[in-house]
């Protein structure tokens, strides 16, 4: 994995875990109808990081669409926060952000190198005397 790909991978993992942690803290509240008071500054920081991540992902086409989807849902969440959403809708947006980030992580975790055939080459077998 190249250093650029590795850095993008870990940034996506960080973002996914961050949004999942926010969702977990929302779910810890038992009152479904109570308003969700997210920290708008934290969301703004994460949205900025998502946008930087998308810019850095330009060489990796498979992650463009998932990152765009995450940015879109984060923008929707930011437009309605804080306090304008009930917990159910807030969790929906947080899940809609984390899911495409998971897709991006999976795309980035796949090795960029082509798979080698399972059989050994004749030269390799000769070298071992077989």
């Amino acid at each position: 994995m190249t250093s650029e790909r590795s850095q993008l991978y870990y940034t996506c993992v960080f973002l996914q875990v961050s949004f999942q942690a926010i969702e977990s803290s929302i779910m810890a509240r038992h009152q479904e109808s109570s308003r969700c008071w997210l920290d708008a500054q934290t969301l703004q920081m994460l949205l900025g990081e998502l946008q930087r991540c998308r810019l850095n992902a330009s060489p990796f086409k498979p992650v463009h669409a998932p990152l765009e989807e995450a940015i879109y849902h984060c923008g929707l969440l930011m437009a309605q926060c804080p306090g304008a959403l009930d917990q159910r809708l807030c969790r929906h947006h947080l899940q809609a952000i984390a899911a495409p980030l998971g897709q991006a992580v999976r795309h980035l975790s796949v090795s960029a190198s082509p798979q080698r055939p399972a059989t050994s080459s004749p030269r390799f077998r000769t070298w071992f005397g077989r």
Side-chain angles (χ1 to χ4, degrees):
M1 189 181 285
T2 66
S3 64
E4 184 179 55
R5 184 183 192 112
S6 179
Q7 182 177 6
L8 187 60
Y9 169 81
Y10 286 112
T11 301
C12 287
V13 168
F14 163 76
L15 288 166
Q16 181 185 23
V17 169
S18 296
F19 283 107
Q20 287 173 335
I22 292 170
E23 180 189 354
S24 292
S25 72
I26 299 293
M27 290 177 66
R29 296 182 184 166
H30 296 291
Q31 299 171 339
E32 185 72 26
S33 62
S34 66
R35 293 285 179 210
C36 168
W37 293 96
L38 290 178
D39 179 14
Q41 289 180 332
T42 301
L43 286 178
Q44 187 64 42
M45 184 268 309
L46 290 172
L47 177 59
E49 194 61 35
L50 258 173
Q51 292 168 334
R52 273 189 294 284
C53 189
R54 172 56 182 92
L55 286 174
N56 294 337
S58 58
F60 309 103
K61 295 220 184 274
V63 299
H64 291 186
L67 290 176
E68 289 293 334
E69 185 178 346
I71 288 169
Y72 170 76
H73 282 285
C74 192
L76 285 176
L77 182 60
M78 286 294 299
Q80 299 174 7
C81 271
L85 298 174
D86 62 20
Q87 288 185 20
R88 184 190 57 76
L89 192 52
C90 186
R91 284 195 323 261
H92 167 76
H93 282 301
L94 290 167
Q95 290 168 354
I97 296 166
L101 284 169
Q103 290 174 343
V105 166
R106 284 188 295 280
H107 284 298
L108 291 166
S109 67
V110 175
S111 176
S113 61
Q115 295 290 331
R116 293 186 179 176
T119 60
S120 59
S121 70
R123 192 170 103 193
F124 185 73
R125 284 187 297 242
T126 306
W127 186 72
F128 276 115
R130 296 180 188 199

